[in-house]
Amino acid sequence: MTAGLSASTPITPNKASATPVPPGNHYRDAIRLLFILALGSEPSGEGPDAIHVFRGEKRAMAIDFLVRYPDYLADELLSLYEAESDPDILTAVQGIFDAGEPDVRLVRMVRWHRGAFQNIETPLAILQSRHLVRALRQAGRQRRHDFIVEPAAFAFMQDVIDQQPTLAWYKERAELVLRLAGLRSGSSLKDDQYLHPEYRDAPMGTEIPSIQGRVLARLERLRGKA
């Protein structure tokens, strides 16, 4: 399930004109989605065999955006630094740029009607076929899409890290973004993303651009004041 993890071809919402997605990209997306849903889920009962639930597809997509765009994540962390003055946050942001993550870890998304878009049907089908995650469609007025995370998902995540230690990055990054997101809703997280003019003003159907240069300049300003 680890083939093609370094590929970064985007998926566009217009299925009629979408660029074909290399099969390996679906596995990469499935790995990333698994870590987000599993680590962001809550147990629905007690005991090791209890299923977990991740609440809200919009929240999952907002968190996924920050994993896929390390420069936007870095900017969010700098806002947190300005609020808390924790020097470890500056160190974490510097590490993002020192590792070249805005270039090597970037997996672009397309600007669509409700912000960044990713068709997760194929990655989700991969996870469902392995009995790791399945979608839970809520009926009635709520119309919220949640995700059931099976107990096997947690053992599987550890197993893939043991087999390929570089995949630990997905675990570490998902944990960081989830701590930053806290208990905020998907709508609240997306509202913050709309504060960036590059995100907000991207033409419909085009890739959301990087903000790397602007965030680097902000980092330098804050380091100069530290």
Side-chain angles (χ1 to χ4, degrees):
M1 191 171 177
T2 60
L5 288 168
S6 63
S8 59
T9 302
I11 302 173
T12 62
N14 187 346
K15 293 182 180 180
S17 61
T19 301
V21 180
N25 286 33
H26 292 311
Y27 291 105
R28 173 210 59 200
D29 292 340
I31 284 284
R32 188 183 63 251
L33 185 62
L34 174 63
F35 278 101
I36 291 171
L37 297 180
L39 296 174
S41 64
E42 301 173 350
S44 62
E46 298 182 357
D49 295 329
I51 62 172
H52 285 59
V53 181
F54 184 102
R55 305 195 182 280
E57 183 179 27
K58 184 183 289 188
R59 185 167 185 269
M61 294 301 95
I63 290 169
D64 187 41
F65 176 79
L66 292 176
V67 176
R68 295 167 67 133
Y69 277 80
D71 47 354
Y72 283 80
L73 171 60
D75 198 62
E76 292 282 345
L77 290 170
L78 290 179
S79 295
L80 182 63
Y81 170 76
E82 289 185 313
E84 299 184 357
S85 300
D86 182 350
D88 289 341
I89 297 175
L90 277 187
T91 301
V93 173
Q94 187 66 59
I96 288 174
F97 288 104
D98 287 347
E101 289 187 14
D103 294 316
V104 301
R105 293 290 188 178
L106 172 65
V107 183
R108 295 185 182 275
M109 298 182 78
V110 168
R111 173 74 164 84
W112 206 236
H113 295 290
R114 297 174 182 173
F117 177 89
Q118 167 68 63
N119 188 335
I120 64 169
E121 291 181 3
T122 299
L124 188 60
I126 292 171
L127 297 177
Q128 184 165 329
S129 71
R130 288 158 174 77
H131 308 290
L132 303 174
V133 173
R134 54 189 169 89
L136 174 64
R137 310 297 185 189
Q138 299 288 352
R141 294 182 180 179
Q142 196 170 30
R143 295 181 62 83
R144 187 183 68 205
H145 294 177
D146 295 341
F147 300 91
I148 298 295
V149 181
E150 303 289 353
F154 297 93
F156 178 82
M157 288 191 300
Q158 187 56 55
D159 184 51
V160 297
I161 290 174
D162 290 342
Q163 293 183 44
Q164 183 54 262
T166 58
L167 295 181
W169 182 89
Y170 287 94
K171 178 177 185 292
E172 294 163 1
R173 184 48 46 85
E175 289 174 339
L176 175 61
V177 175
L178 286 162
R179 285 199 300 270
L180 183 65
L183 299 177
R184 296 172 61 194
S185 68
S187 295
S188 175
L189 293 169
K190 278 186 171 288
D191 285 345
D192 276 1
Q193 292 165 11
Y194 274 107
L195 294 176
H196 297 281
E198 296 89 346
Y199 181 106
R200 182 185 64 243
D201 300 335
M204 204 72 66
T206 65
E207 293 177 342
I208 295 172
S210 169
I211 57 171
Q212 180 175 179
R214 181 158 61 80
V215 182
L216 267 172
R218 185 183 183 192
L219 173 61
E220 291 306 310
R221 287 196 303 271
L222 292 174
R223 287 181 66 86
K225 296 178 181 178

